[in-house]
Amino acid sequence: MNKIEAIIRPERLSMVVSSLAEEGFHGLNITQVTGRGEQRGIAHVGRAGQSYVVDMLPKSKLEVVVKDGDTQRVIDIIVAAARTGQVGDGKIFVLPVSNAIRVRTGEAGDIAL
Ligand SMILES: Nc1ncnc2c1ncn2[C@@H]1O[C@H](COP(=O)(O)OP(=O)(O)OP(=O)(O)O)[C@@H](O)[C@H]1O
Ligand SMILES: [Mg+2]
């Protein structure tokens, strides 16, 4: 099992969530986060011509735990729905997960997802 942690543009979140649902992936977590990437935020020019930098930008973090065999498919779905082609489209991290347990039944492993 892997946890796919995708940090994406908030305005792309609903597209990503509905694309995942269409492909049968329903279980997920969403958190609103602030962060920065390579560009360290964005530079703005104010109305008076002064420049300032917004260092941390709001992003949506989506966490999905999937079977090993579904990992690449879920990554592809997220990338296709989240990409605009502009800087700041986000980043995906893949982490190994050693187990999952459904609390109601005690089921463990892939069937608990
Ligand atoms: N190395 C990192 N570790 C943890 N979170 C990160 C990392 N890089 C980016 N993030 C998170 O991802 C968000 C989006 O990053 P972003 O898309 O700007 O990445 P990037 O590497 O700068 O790529 P791009 O050049 O396309 O903008 C950041 O706001 C931050 O929340
Ligand atoms: Mg960036």
Side-chain angles (χ1 to χ4, degrees), residues 5-110:
E5 214 174 90
I7 301 163
I8 59 171
R9 296 182 189 278
E11 60 268 31
R12 287 278 161 162
L13 178 65
S14 64
M15 263 299 283
V16 170
V17 170
S18 60
S19 298
L20 287 169
E22 277 170 25
E23 299 290 328
F25 300 99
H26 300 285
L28 50 83
N29 271 314
I30 292 158
T31 322
Q32 304 309 327
V33 299
T34 54
R36 66 182 189 184
E38 285 285 301
Q39 291 80 18
R40 291 169 290 172
I42 36 174
H44 288 280
V45 179
R47 265 180 292 183
Q50 79 284 22
S51 65
Y52 61 97
V53 172
V54 178
D55 189 35
M56 299 288 175
L57 296 172
K59 296 285 173 183
S60 295
K61 185 171 82 171
L62 187 91
E63 292 168 289
V64 199
V65 178
V66 296
K67 290 186 258 189
D68 290 344
D70 285 335
T71 305
Q72 193 56 51
R73 203 164 130 231
V74 168
I75 291 169
D76 293 343
I77 294 166
I78 295 171
V79 169
R83 176 183 282 156
T84 69
Q86 305 299 308
V87 296
D89 269 355
K91 209 160 269 190
I92 298 176
F93 302 102
V94 181
L95 299 80
V97 169
S98 59
N99 205 358
I101 294 96
R102 177 172 287 116
V103 171
R104 174 174 55 87
T105 58
E107 292 165 296
D110 286 354

